[in-house]
Amino acid sequence: MVKRLVLAAGLALALSACGDQQFSGGSTRHLAPIPAATMALMSAKGMSKDDPILIRAYKKESELEVWKRGRDGRYAHLKTYPICRWSGQLGPKVREGDRQAPEGFYQVTPAQLNPNSSFYLSFDTGFPNSYDRANGRTGSHLMVHGSCSSRGCFAMTDEAIAEIYAVAREALSGGGQRSFQFQSYPFRMTAQNLAKHRYDPNIAFWRNLKEGADHFEVTKTEPQVAVCGRRYAFNAPNCTDADPATAQAVARKQAEDEQTIAELVSKGQPAVKLVYEDGGGHPSFGQVAMAQTVDEGNGFPVLGAAPTARNLGDVSRPEALAMGPREIPLEGPGRPKAEAPTALAFAPNATPRSEAARPAGASARSTAVATAPARQAGTARVASAEEPTLPPVPPAATTPESSRSVYQRMMSFIGRVDEPQTTAAPAVAAPLPSQRSDAAARARAN
């Protein structure tokens, strides 16, 4: 009986997102100072380590921003960190075990910082909040932590979480901030993104999140969050606007954005839905996660084997991370277009299908994007059932070797390009490798 209880407790912990545990071992990593370079950046921007902070995370762009409040009471951007791994799809967390990272507005208190995390260091996002509970959403232990493995969390790498943790610690202790706001979005709340995702099933929820984002963009102050009628309400105690001037300024911004959305749609902006194998991560981590050095024992990539690779620790489902999202065109709410491609996502060297699959927030302040190396053939392109059957091509005349182009001769290593095949063999997905290391198997199971 005792054994069953232990197994049940372990299963519950595994299902509860990242399963972050408290480990006591006398570690002092949580006391590490803020790096000198970041302290210099604060000084250059007129900030101090004790100033209050606010954090914003964006799934599609895989970026996390830290903001600090200045002497004028307004927040200014300090630094952007690439997110190594988040799991699930764009959209909110709904139930325990769905692998979704949360979206919404959360408060983080000093008690939610975990100095003895099993993922180096971490802080709990505070899910579920009052909005989540009002809408029947369940889940627990949704963290921002180290490493590069996620089951509903934002994994930042050990190096990045050490710095973020130190910045938060100083604001909450030295500065006396009682809690900081953590804002989590599916993507940057731009008119372009909302036009692209206008038919997504989550669009009503995302528009509600945009209201809070607009309050922050207009005022550069932390929006006060309430729940009214199972919706987020911002700067509205008792569900009424407290500051008419702010409400009018936000309404003007929203009207401008709606006009931009309408113009984009009228000009033919396609509606899409992004579908991930299991979440994503910043492109700068792609080369490391799918390093081409392999373990001779099982044929799988060895992390950190390349000379320039960073030590990411455990990476959950690296093959899903490398694939990137599929972009499904929609012709109406939840209705994919009939000609929507279904095979390109499985091509071994697939690139994002359009700009929608590329981080829209990439800028000079973002970490430089590394080009992911071509993967060894593990899957083949799966032919769509709707692809037309081409008529047979008559055989071409034999071309003398001396008259063949350099390109043709080079391509002869993988097949003759001057001799079209009259019968095309059906494209079949090649099987994935059957052997995996224990670490890769555990990451796959997550």
Side-chain angles (χ1 to χ4, degrees), residues 334-388:
R335 298 201 310 273
K337 288 187 177 180
E339 68 274 19
T342 59
L344 288 179
F346 302 100
N349 297 321
T351 56
R353 262 55 75 189
S354 79
E355 290 296 323
R358 189 175 305 164
S363 63
R365 60 181 169 78
S366 302
T367 301
V369 176
T371 302
R375 291 190 290 144
Q376 295 180 352
T379 56
R381 184 183 184 278
V382 181
S384 170
E386 299 182 4
E387 286 184 356

Side-chain angles (χ1 to χ4, degrees), residues 123-444:
F123 66 81
D124 193 305
T125 61
F127 181 96
N129 61 15
S130 56
Y131 174 94
D132 300 317
R133 290 190 294 270
N135 285 274
R137 296 175 179 174
T138 60
S140 58
H141 304 295
L142 300 178
M143 308 282 177
V144 176
H145 60 60
S147 187
C148 193
S149 178
S150 172
R151 290 197 303 268
C153 297
F154 297 95
M156 305 299 302
T157 74
D158 295 353
E159 179 183 7
I161 194 59
E163 181 172 329
I164 296 168
Y165 189 99
V167 171
R169 180 197 66 221
E170 293 302 321
L172 292 172
S173 58
Q177 186 178 13
R178 293 185 177 181
S179 66
F180 66 83
Q181 190 171 89
F182 176 72
Q183 304 176 4
S184 179
Y185 300 99
F187 40 68
R188 295 186 181 276
M189 296 282 103
T190 64
Q192 290 75 14
N193 275 330
L194 289 171
K196 289 179 180 179
H197 297 277
R198 63 186 180 273
Y199 290 147
D200 192 283
N202 295 300
I203 189 61
F205 172 67
W206 291 343
R207 283 181 172 274
N208 190 200
L209 295 185
K210 183 179 180 297
E211 296 173 23
D214 288 344
H215 273 268
F216 182 78
E217 295 295 339
V218 168
T219 67
K220 289 299 187 292
T221 60
E222 178 181 320
Q224 301 304 303
V225 181
V227 179
C228 302
R230 295 171 60 189
R231 295 182 78 255
Y232 279 116
F234 303 95
N235 298 328
N238 300 319
C239 299
T240 58
D241 291 330
D243 183 0
T246 298
Q248 291 174 5
V250 171
R252 284 194 298 271
K253 181 184 185 307
Q254 292 173 342
E256 292 171 359
D257 289 344
E258 289 300 323
Q259 182 177 353
T260 302
I261 292 172
E263 292 174 353
L264 289 169
V265 173
S266 67
K267 293 177 181 179
Q269 170 65 59
V272 301
K273 180 177 179 61
L274 295 184
V275 178
Y276 295 79
E277 291 300 311
D278 183 22
H282 197 275
S284 62
F285 296 108
Q287 187 173 15
V288 182
M290 292 301 293
Q292 284 302 289
T293 303
V294 298
D295 183 343
E296 294 179 358
N298 55 45
F300 272 74
V302 177
L303 297 175
T308 59
R310 285 172 285 180
N311 181 17
L312 303 184
D314 184 24
V315 180
S316 58
R317 299 199 61 189
E319 79 290 351
L321 179 63
M323 280 195 178
R326 288 176 289 168
E327 189 175 84
I328 309 299
L330 301 177
E331 60 182 0
R335 298 201 310 273
K337 288 187 177 180
E339 68 274 19
T342 59
L344 288 179
F346 302 100
N349 297 321
T351 56
R353 262 55 75 189
S354 79
E355 290 296 323
R358 189 175 305 164
S363 63
R365 60 181 169 78
S366 302
T367 301
V369 176
T371 302
R375 291 190 290 144
Q376 295 180 352
T379 56
R381 184 183 184 278
V382 181
S384 170
E386 299 182 4
E387 286 184 356
T389 302
L390 298 177
V393 179
T398 304
T399 304
E401 183 70 19
S402 60
S403 64
R404 297 172 69 207
S405 66
V406 174
Y407 170 74
Q408 288 175 318
R409 278 176 278 172
M410 290 176 61
M411 292 298 291
S412 65
F413 288 102
I414 60 173
R416 297 186 62 85
V417 299
D418 60 335
E419 295 180 4
Q421 297 178 358
T422 58
T423 303
V428 180
L432 290 171
S434 58
Q435 296 181 343
R436 301 172 180 228
S437 65
D438 290 342
R442 287 195 300 270
R444 183 73 176 178

